């Protein structure tokens, strides 16, 4: 699980015991994508092109949600299976 602020900076990360090594990297990318778009991550036609243009720092994989409070985008949270 990764939480980022509105600028994409990691503010918290937690890896479950036994989780795959890449789980944190994937959850961070999902959180950053949700924070930068203000929308949940979801597969779409342009995802591969966007991911490539962002150097792999964005994804269309499900599991990322933006964090909103009173109409202000605070950041994003991303999760990845263990």
């Amino acid at each position: 699980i990764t939480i980022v602020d509105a600028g994409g900076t990691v503010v918290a990360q937690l890896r479950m015991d036994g989780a795959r090594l890449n789980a944190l990297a994937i959850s961070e990318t999902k959180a950053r994508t949700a924070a930068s778009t203000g929308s949940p991550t979801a597969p779409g036609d342009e995802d591969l092109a966007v991911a490539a243009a962002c150097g792999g720092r964005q994804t269309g994989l499900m599991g990322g949600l933006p964090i909103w409070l009173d109409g202000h985008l605070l950041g994003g949270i991303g999760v990845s299976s263990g």
Side-chain angles (χ1 to χ4, degrees):
I1 300 170
T2 302
I3 299 173
V4 299
D5 64 16
T9 301
V10 174
V11 294
Q13 274 189 322
L14 178 64
R15 183 174 167 262
M16 296 181 341
D17 291 341
R20 290 177 292 170
L21 182 60
N22 62 354
L24 284 182
I26 293 169
S27 67
E28 183 177 335
T29 302
K30 291 176 181 180
R32 186 173 284 114
T33 301
S36 68
T37 63
S39 300
T41 57
D45 294 338
E46 298 177 357
D47 292 331
L48 189 56
V50 170
C54 293
R57 302 298 286 175
Q58 290 201 3
T59 185
L61 295 173
M62 293 177 67
L65 293 172
I67 301 171
W68 292 93
L69 179 65
D70 298 328
H72 298 283
L73 182 62
L74 300 181
I77 183 169
V79 297
S80 182
S81 63

